[in-house]
Amino acid sequence: TVEGWALPEMPGLITDILVSLDDRYLYFSNWLHGDIRQYDITDTRNPKLVGQVWLGGSICTDSNVKVTKDTERTTQPEPITLKNGKRLEGGPQMIQMSLDGKRLYVSNSLY
């Protein structure tokens, strides 16, 4: 649950989804919350969250939204500051895997 948002709960807003070329991992960008998630899907009936990176979003500690209850996190994520000192605005939106499967490219182009 949250405060400072239009509703008492803030649902995730998944804007892109990708399966790795070897069919081992599923990735998705959760634009509203601000995270990219990686799931091991080798056992398709039991996907496991194996990676998560926070890249902006609406629930960072410096936002107007306060998370009052979360079953996955105990704290709100910190905002990302770029090398030029500016805050990374928006959240992760489009994702693309490199052809060798070693890099995941992310844009925040909805901002």
Side-chain angles (χ1 to χ4, degrees), residues 19-88:
V19 175
S20 62
L21 295 172
D22 61 6
D23 290 334
R24 291 184 57 208
Y25 298 104
L26 178 135
Y27 299 86
F28 71 75
S29 56
N30 186 356
W31 181 76
L32 199 53
H33 291 183
D35 60 319
I36 298 278
R37 295 185 184 204
Q38 178 190 38
Y39 286 88
D40 181 334
I41 57 170
T42 52
D43 179 357
T44 56
R45 294 182 185 257
N46 297 298
K48 294 180 186 173
L49 178 64
V50 294
Q52 185 175 25
V53 177
W54 291 88
L55 299 168
S58 298
I59 62 169
C60 289
T61 56
D62 66 346
S63 77
N64 293 330
V65 177
K66 180 182 178 191
V67 178
T68 56
K69 181 181 178 187
D70 190 333
T71 59
E72 295 179 343
R73 292 185 60 92
T74 57
T75 61
Q76 289 180 236
E78 294 293 326
I80 302 295
T81 304
L82 304 173
K83 287 182 181 181
N84 63 6
K86 293 184 179 181
R87 183 187 188 281
L88 177 63

